[in-house]
């Protein structure tokens, strides 16, 4: 299958690199990473060790059967415009936050699938990506229900040994992931701690309350997500990713804009009643971003 990965940072490079074992993959990302991959291949280290040889560029090729989008949520609109040049048959979002699939489907004609991914990845240096956790991919129709396109796409992942599940309840799964990110990301970023620090203590309680608020907003939006389920999933992810720095912690360390709008901000935006923990976390991260001229 001709696959392009738009946003070949750490996760995009890892997934694209794995798929390149059996597919014709192009990584679209930034220099000097893409020219290093083009010249020397992509080296994957850590829990998976292999080198594959995807094509790599800073611009999209002129066609693709599948486009996998792994850019930060605030770049999704721009990604969608850029992908028009490739006119992909299928687009799969593997991103944080809510609303990415809608932004992708607006200018693109291909079928847009929703997905989640539990692989851990870290860009070690240009051309080298570390796999910090072998995970799974879950994908399906963005509005839920059965999807032959999702089945075919999962088959392409499976043929490259990427463990993939097709889910008929992606809206619920995206809210569940949102509850996890709402609980972990901003708190670990503000406190500058690894995910495992939320396993106990006051910060863990705040994380659980952020996840429960998110579950309530999900239910108000018609998605069946009990508080206990959101909190259980949060606690499981805190445990399995204990040594990891959340993506928002990494963004703050790098002095970069965060995905707060698509995570805690998205909960606040959709809430019909107060969500004080999400509101506080959003205000604090926004204040940090403003202090660094990363938002107006
Ligand atoms: O998705 C993540 C992120 O950091 O963005 C979690 C699940 C919190 C893992 O770190």
């Amino acid at each position: 299958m001709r696959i392009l990965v738009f946003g070949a940072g750490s996760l995009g490079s890892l997934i694209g690199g794995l798929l390149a074992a059996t597919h014709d993959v192009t990584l679209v990302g930034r220099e000097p990473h893409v020219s290093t991959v083009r010249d020397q291949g992509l080296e994957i280290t850590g829990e998976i060790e292999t080198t594959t040889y995807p094509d790599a560029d800073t611009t999209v090729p002129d066609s693709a059967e599948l486009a996998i989008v792994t850019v930060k949520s605030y770049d999704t609109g721009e990604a969608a415009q850029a992908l028009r040049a490739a006119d992909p048959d299928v687009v799969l979002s593997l991103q944080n936050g809510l609303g990415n699939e809608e932004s992708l489907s607006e200018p693109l004609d291909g079928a847009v699938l929703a997905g989640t991914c539990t692989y851990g990845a870290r860009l070690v240096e240009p051309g080298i990506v570390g796999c910090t956790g072998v995970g799974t991919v879950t994908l399906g129709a963005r509005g839920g229900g059965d999807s032959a396109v999702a089945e075919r796409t999962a088959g392409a992942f499976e043929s490259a040994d990427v463990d993939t599940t097709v889910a008929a309840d992606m809206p619920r799964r995206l809210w569940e992931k949102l509850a996890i990110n709402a609980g972990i990301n901003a708190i670990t970023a503000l406190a500058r701690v690894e995910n495992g620090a939320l396993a106990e203590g006051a910060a863990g309680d705040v994380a659980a309350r952020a996840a429960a608020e998110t579950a309530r907003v999900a239910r108000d939006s018609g998605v069946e997500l009990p508080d206990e389920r959101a909190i259980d999933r949060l606690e499981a992810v805190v445990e399995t990713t204990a040594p990891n720095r959340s993506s928002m912690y990494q963004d703050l360390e790098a002095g970069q804009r965060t995905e707060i709008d698509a995570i805690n901000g998205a909960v606040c935006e959709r809430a019909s009643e107060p969500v004080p923990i999400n509101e506080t976390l959003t205000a604090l991260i926004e204040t940090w971003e403003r202090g660094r001229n990363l938002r107006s």
Side-chain angles (χ1 to χ4, degrees), residues 96 177 180-181 184-185 195 237 241 244-248:
N96 276 338
K177 177 157 167 54
I180 294 165
N181 289 130
I184 296 178
N185 290 32
N195 295 353
V237 172
T241 65
N244 295 4
R245 290 183 174 184
S246 73
S247 54
M248 203 173 285

Side-chain angles (χ1 to χ4, degrees), residues 189-240:
L190 291 163
R192 299 286 210 277
V193 290
E194 278 72 36
N195 295 353
L198 304 185
E200 52 199 29
D205 293 343
V206 179
R209 288 169 62 195
E213 283 181 3
T214 307
R216 175 160 55 77
V217 178
R219 293 195 297 277
D220 290 348
S221 316
V223 168
E224 198 32 59
L225 180 57
D227 286 4
E228 305 71 46
R229 166 88 190 166
I231 294 170
D232 280 357
R233 292 295 302 127
L234 169 81
E235 288 174 354
V237 172
V238 163
E239 198 184 315
T240 53

